[in-house]
Amino acid sequence: MVHTPSLQHRLPNEGAHIHAPWRSETAKQAIAQSEALCRAKGARLTPIRRRVLEVLLASPKPLGAYDLVDRLGSQGRRMAPITVYRALDFLIEHGLAHRLASRNAYLASSDVSTGRQTTAFLICESCGEATEITSPAVADTVLKVLKEQGYQPRARALEITGRCAGCQDIH
Amino acid sequence: MVHTPSLQHRLPNEGAHIHAPWRSETAKQAIAQSEALCRAKGARLTPIRRRVLEVLLASPKPLGAYDLVDRLGSQGRRMAPITVYRALDFLIEHGLAHRLASRNAYLASSDVSTGRQTTAFLICESCGEATEITSPAVADTVLKVLKEQGYQPRARALEITGRCAGCQDIH
DNA sequence: CCCAAATATGTAGTGATATAACCTATACGA
DNA sequence: TCGTATAGGTTATATCACTACATATTTGGG
């Protein structure tokens, strides 16, 4: 059991936050935040990168790189895979998107302000939906374990697989 | 850098255990355990599956599927990738091996007796070595978060990235 | 403003990972 | 021992990701 009162008592549910970026108002807000963040950093959120981010934000589920190719190319000429990968690299590097290694899929960061802290993804093995959470309890525990083993932590994403509430009884 | 278990497994660390299956005695023991486990379950640890497991056990680092193809085929005819993948499927299904999604790599389960409990892997982003640990603290925290979000837990592997003690100062 | 350097994108090809489809061989129980 | 289930062989292909190099665009210094 991990005790981190200073972090936990401020938040309900031990501080796990969830977000719903694919709803259009929220997505607009996310784009605005991303633009602000890039401006502040001198990073260039070009039209291509912005479109990739928009498509990711518009999807409730993580998308594969070639899914993105398809969706981005629906209007006009098909985009080369490498172009999408480059845009994804940019977005990930600046904390605007994440890669789910266990699914070879990408999703928009739902809360840009958290930056590159340790976040966790709950991934439903049935429907594939992913919920991004920032849980101090998880972060603290992970940090502690890393420290114990002499590892220098690198803020990365934790992928936790389960079966979401809507998929409990299926199959 | 390889750490000797005798130095680490008694750290005051909330009970996180590490293992060193690639040392031959330990590997032999692991094979014996695996055989016993398969017999008990009526699962067939065939020669191919056993060889794949042995190669995994003999490696201090996770191996890619095609690494396995190379190592297994060094004597005699090259094994088809699908054959290795099928063996890996078997081993993973029975808790004898794990897949590290973040690296597209596979490693032997270092403690067969823990079965399919929640285990965690500390993966060094520099040298690629992976340390399997079973940490009650991590398991509890993850379970709690899953429960909060209405997820039904599925015992899976957690991949935690960092930089191991031996790679702190490099690059 | 113009040019040079840095950054971003286009284009073609390839490497790396994983599986499909179909068939044959072997093991196991009735 | 025969039939079924499981394992493995063979060929081809799907899927994911990147290399190498050319071109275009942006940006800052003169």
Side-chain angles (χ1 to χ4, degrees), chain A residues 65-134:
Chain A
Y66 283 74
D67 290 339
L68 281 164
V69 170
D70 292 340
R71 300 195 185 199
L72 290 162
S74 57
Q75 51 204 19
R77 203 160 66 275
R78 189 180 181 79
M79 199 170 273
I82 186 67
T83 302
V84 170
Y85 280 107
R86 288 197 278 228
L88 286 170
D89 284 347
F90 172 88
L91 296 174
I92 292 167
E93 188 176 337
H94 292 87
L96 306 178
H98 296 281
R99 170 180 150 82
L100 293 187
S102 61
R103 298 218 149 223
N104 295 321
Y106 304 84
L107 41 55
S109 186
S110 46
D111 188 355
V112 170
S113 64
T114 62
R116 310 233 328 103
Q117 287 173 31
T118 295
T119 62
F121 296 93
L122 303 186
I123 306 165
C124 178
E125 66 179 9
S126 175
C127 69
E129 245 179 71
T131 306
E132 180 178 356
I133 63 172
T134 56

Side-chain angles (χ1 to χ4, degrees), chain A residues 39-51:
Chain A
R39 248 196 316 277
K41 288 207 271 182
R44 288 150 66 180
L45 187 61
T46 62
I48 285 180
R49 292 164 175 174
R50 191 191 156 115
R51 276 186 68 206

